[in-house]
Amino acid sequence: MSVTSLAKQSESGAGQIAVTMDDLVPIFRERLAAGQSIRFSPRGVSMLPMLRQGIDTVTLSPAPAQLKKYDLPLYQRDDGKYILHRVVKAEGTYTCIGDNQFVLEPGVRHDQIIAVVTSFTRSGREVPVTGLTYQLYCRIWHYSRPVRHFWRRGIGWLRRHLHK
């Protein structure tokens, strides 16, 4: 999930001030270093259906020394873009992918990791990432990726050919 910017109401209430992740990450790092967690609403569609833009929130905590499969880190790519995707392979570097994506992103280094999601809020309910339901979702979603890819391609083909 690309995390690009947030809007914040100005103190006068007259307008909005654009706040970028570049503005927020130093604050995130300071709070995380103090042992605090951070809650925010990520933007983008790459983590659908789990995280819905503008509706769901995530709670970030300091990253452990080594991430494991199915952890959900917030990291910064070498191009400067901030990403929130799931780890699907952890061997030296990490391979990550969004739930709504089909192309793996290998080579994510630990020094790029800013924080890790410890829970998220969906429909007003707090869901810990250590919970059985979440862990089951991760496994089903990860192992169904090839099937989902062909399903999506088939639906696209049907739409193109039936709507002519």
Side-chain angles (χ1 to χ4, degrees):
M1 184 162 251
S2 172
V3 188
T4 53
S5 65
L6 304 170
K8 177 181 164 187
Q9 191 74 11
S10 71
E11 301 205 1
S12 67
Q16 291 189 346
I17 302 168
V19 179
T20 67
M21 282 301 290
D22 286 329
D23 298 327
L24 293 174
V25 166
I27 298 166
F28 284 8
R29 289 186 192 278
E30 181 181 311
R31 298 235 172 152
L32 291 164
Q36 298 174 337
S37 59
I38 299 155
R39 174 165 293 203
F40 82 107
S41 184
R43 299 177 55 92
V45 296
S46 67
M47 284 303 293
L48 283 171
M50 189 183 99
L51 296 174
R52 300 166 299 176
Q53 177 176 298
I55 300 171
D56 301 321
T57 62
V58 297
T59 301
L60 299 174
S61 296
Q66 178 68 36
L67 297 182
K68 58 190 182 310
K69 191 173 184 176
Y70 305 129
D71 279 346
L72 196 56
L74 171 65
Y75 60 95
Q76 186 176 19
R77 288 181 177 155
D78 288 332
D79 66 4
K81 195 171 186 180
Y82 294 94
I83 304 295
L84 184 68
H85 282 169
R86 187 177 325 287
V87 173
V88 293
K89 190 174 182 183
E91 294 177 356
T93 61
Y94 307 109
T95 300
C96 298
I97 189 169
D99 286 358
N100 196 27
Q101 296 186 322
F102 297 99
V103 178
L104 296 171
E105 180 177 358
V108 176
R109 302 178 314 276
H110 196 77
D111 64 276
Q112 294 174 283
I113 308 297
I114 297 163
V116 67
V117 173
T118 51
S119 67
F120 60 96
T121 303
R122 178 150 179 111
S123 302
R125 197 181 95 227
E126 187 82 10
V127 180
V129 297
T130 55
L132 183 60
T133 305
Y134 172 78
Q135 292 296 317
L136 183 60
Y137 165 82
C138 288
R139 283 161 177 76
I140 290 170
W141 203 253
H142 173 64
Y143 289 111
S144 69
R145 185 170 56 99
V147 174
R148 288 184 290 115
H149 179 66
F150 286 113
W151 174 258
R152 182 182 279 177
R153 290 183 70 188
I155 294 295
W157 184 88
L158 284 172
R159 284 186 181 148
R160 285 189 305 276
H161 289 84
L162 294 177
H163 294 285
K164 283 188 174 185

